[in-house]
Amino acid sequence: AQSVTQLDSHVSVSEGTPVLLRCNYSSSYSPSLFWYVQHPNKGLQLLLKYTSAATLVKGINGFEAEFKKSETSFHLTKPSAHMSDAAEYFCVVTLTGNQFYFGTGTSLTVIP
Amino acid sequence: DAGITQSPRYKITETGRQVTLMCHQTWSHSYMFWYRQDLGHGLRLIYYSAAADITDKGEVPDGYVVSRSKTENFPLTLESATRSQTSVYFCASSESLFSNTGELFFGEGSRLTVL
């Protein structure tokens, strides 16, 4: 069995401060992990993905995530938040040849 | 334009009516998916398709029907709409489900309200 848990449903940060969005997964196998972003009234867009290569993955718009197998985590970070980062973020896990499983999402608010 | 398009973007209907949401992709991706997005549930898979004429149920298939006669199209039909089917529906496609190539490409969503 596998699942993905996003530990915070809402996160608020001030513009220019770091962002941390937390994701834990449970999987019996080596997973592939993704972060997607959804801006209001838009579809989801891929931010970054981990596919068993480097454990530190860099994505678009300055985001990165680190795969930690011992902690079964794949937290998303950004050093300095921008107003345009305000959106909903989804952590997603999949096994080879299987479906994509979505977390329930984290809403990021950026305070000017 | 290349990409994945959904229509209609907004739809209001009444309980008991049939509704079809259309999804078209221009990449010739093998896999296509329908998700519904509801507050507190994230995205839940309704149906998916691995190729033309091959479809399979996801997590919440009841009340929905899909078909895939052509690779590029994957319509979702609500045969008799219910209020609980009020949601935002997303179509997605993927070239592969394998770990080193798989990623999902999403349409912009169809917001359905059932009165």
Side-chain angles (χ1 to χ4, degrees), chain A residues 83-97:
Chain A
M83 294 299 295
S84 61
D85 295 328
E88 188 88 13
Y89 292 81
F90 293 93
C91 183
V92 182
V93 63
T94 186
L95 295 178
T96 299

Side-chain angles (χ1 to χ4, degrees), chain A residues 90-112:
Chain A
F90 293 93
C91 183
V92 182
V93 63
T94 186
L95 295 178
T96 299
N98 211 314
Q99 299 176 17
F100 296 85
Y101 295 89
F102 283 75
T104 52
T106 299
S107 177
L108 176 65
T109 298
V110 181
I111 303 165

Side-chain angles (χ1 to χ4, degrees), chain A residues 32 34 36 38 51 98 100, chain B residues 37 90 97-99 102-104:
Chain A
S32 291
F34 307 79
Y36 283 83
Q38 183 184 28
T51 57
N98 211 314
F100 296 85
Chain B
Q37 183 178 28
F90 286 99
L97 291 184
F98 291 98
S99 61
E103 74 179 76
L104 288 167

